[in-house]
């Protein structure tokens, strides 16, 4: 087994999106090869309704898939296919924009006015950019949760993990999307497929992630061939950890435990032409998408 090195640790940055929603962006609109097949990750979390109620009014997408995961509050959504519904706490929506979709997402708070959720954008390969749009809503009660003997809890949203399969499937990036809680002081090693790009996003508590490449730091004993590997300083709320190649990560939870998302996916290795909500492979395709928007042919008839 090989521990993944840490390529980068960085805080999510404040950002305003939609009609004035204040959120934190962990990555997006930078180097799309960095976490290929993933393009963008937003943490929308607010206690003040004025910071989120204006939401994300009608807007287009083409060439991507989005996974929206709600932790608290709710998100009402509608789209050009005629679908409408509400995502509540614990629910997930997977949306494939394909050849083009118009949709809106309007968040609302819980009884205390709090709203918290995540949105991840996955790229579509060239062969699937112009497929028919589709979507899937999954209730939180359908998401399997694994509880280990040491108190570690893992919700399997997408992919396979420890013998359980997540209810969301059919995503081109073939991701693994896990919501992980590790209790205070517990050290845990989690497998990650060698051939996938992977990152963690801490959103509660603190933890130290072992780094196979770090030349210095606090040593974390690891019982693999008697080796010791270095561990980075504690990573706290709204921290992105980007991993290199390997087939496992090791996490040491802090004094309050830690909760983080562990996400990985198979890279596409294709050129990216990207502007706003449209992601294609060439500038010509990108220009055509915006021409379609202007002349009213963006939404393609179903075949």
């Amino acid at each position: 087994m090989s521990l993944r090195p840490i390529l980068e640790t960085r805080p999510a940055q404040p950002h305003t999106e939609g009609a004035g929603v204040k959120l934190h962006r962990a990555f997006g609109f930078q180097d799309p090869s960095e976490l290929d097949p993933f393009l963008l990750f937003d943490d929308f979390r607010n206690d003040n309704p004025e910071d989120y109620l204006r939401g994300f009014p009608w807007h287009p997408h083409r060439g991507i898939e989005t996974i929206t995961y709600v932790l608290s509050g709710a998100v009402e959504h509608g789209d050009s296919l005629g679908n409408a519904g509400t995502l509540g706490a614990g629910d997930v929506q997977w949306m494939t924009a394909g050849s083009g979709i118009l949709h809106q997402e309007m968040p609302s708070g819980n009884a205390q006015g709090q709203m918290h959720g995540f949105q991840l954008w996955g790229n579509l390969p060239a062969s699937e950019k112009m497929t028919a749009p589709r979507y899937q809503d999954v209730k939180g009660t359908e998401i399997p949760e694994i509880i280990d003997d040491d108190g570690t809890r893992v919700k399997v949203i997408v992919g396979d993990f420890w013998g359980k399969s997540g209810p969301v499937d059919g995503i081109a990036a073939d991701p693994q999307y896990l919501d992980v809680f590790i209790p205070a002081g517990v050290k845990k090693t989690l497998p990650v497929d060698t051939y996938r790009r992977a990152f963690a996003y801490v959103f509660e508590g603190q933890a130290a992630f072992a780094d196979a490449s770090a030349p210095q730091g606090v040593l974390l004993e690891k019982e693999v061939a008697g080796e010791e590997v270095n561990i980075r300083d504690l990573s706290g709320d709204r921290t992105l950890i980007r991993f290199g190649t390997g087939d496992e990560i090791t996490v040491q939870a802090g004094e309050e435990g830690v909760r983080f998302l562990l996400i990985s996916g198979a890279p596409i290795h294709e050129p990216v032409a990207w502007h706003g909500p449209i992601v294609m492979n060439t500038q010509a395709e990108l220009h055509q998408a915006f021409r379609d928007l202007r002349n009213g042919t963006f939404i393609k008839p179903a075949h």
Side-chain angles (χ1 to χ4, degrees), residues 210-221:
D211 182 1
S213 64
Q216 58 188 0
V218 180
L219 288 176
L220 172 72
E221 292 184 1

Side-chain angles (χ1 to χ4, degrees), residues 242-262:
R242 189 163 61 92
F243 298 105
T245 303
D247 52 22
E248 63 183 21
I249 68 165
T250 295
V251 187
Q252 174 75 56
E255 295 179 355
E256 299 176 358
V258 66
R259 190 174 176 191
F260 61 96
L261 303 179
L262 180 59

Side-chain angles (χ1 to χ4, degrees), residues 171-192:
I171 301 177
D174 190 25
Q176 185 182 66
Y177 190 129
L178 309 174
D179 178 347
V180 181
F181 169 76
I182 300 176
V186 171
K187 181 179 72 176
K188 200 72 176 175
T189 295
L190 305 172
V192 183

Side-chain angles (χ1 to χ4, degrees), residues 27 38 40-44 65-71 90-94 116-122 143-146 153-161 164-169 171 173-180 191-193 196-201 203 259-266:
F27 62 88
F38 305 117
L40 175 146
F41 181 85
D42 283 344
D43 177 349
F44 47 98
E65 299 185 279
T66 66
I67 301 173
T68 305
Y69 179 30
V70 178
L71 291 184
D91 296 348
V92 174
Q93 184 191 76
W94 153 51
H116 190 190
F118 306 108
Q119 188 167 91
L120 174 69
W121 289 15
I143 297 171
E145 183 175 39
I146 305 165
R153 299 197 306 268
V154 181
K155 292 183 179 180
V156 186
I157 296 169
V158 186
D160 300 317
F161 188 77
K164 298 288 186 180
S165 295
V168 181
D169 59 16
I171 301 177
D174 190 25
Q176 185 182 66
Y177 190 129
L178 309 174
D179 178 347
V180 181
V192 183
D193 186 281
R196 295 167 178 262
R197 299 269 170 82
F199 69 92
Y201 182 76
F203 63 94
R259 190 174 176 191
F260 61 96
L261 303 179
L262 180 59
I263 299 174
S264 61

Side-chain angles (χ1 to χ4, degrees), residues 70-127:
V70 178
L71 291 184
S72 60
V75 177
E76 294 184 10
H77 65 87
D79 62 42
S80 52
L81 299 176
N83 300 307
T86 301
L87 299 175
D91 296 348
V92 174
Q93 184 191 76
W94 153 51
M95 186 273 290
T96 301
S99 60
I101 198 168
L102 297 171
H103 75 158
Q104 66 173 351
E105 299 153 303
M106 305 303 288
S108 58
N110 59 17
Q112 291 75 44
Q114 298 165 329
M115 172 66 210
H116 190 190
F118 306 108
Q119 188 167 91
L120 174 69
W121 289 15
N123 199 7
L124 281 169
S127 60

Side-chain angles (χ1 to χ4, degrees), residues 3-7 209-215 220 229-232 250:
L3 184 72
R4 284 182 176 245
I6 294 175
L7 299 180
F209 289 78
D211 182 1
S213 64
L220 172 72
V229 294
N230 289 290
I231 195 160
R232 290 284 175 94
T250 295

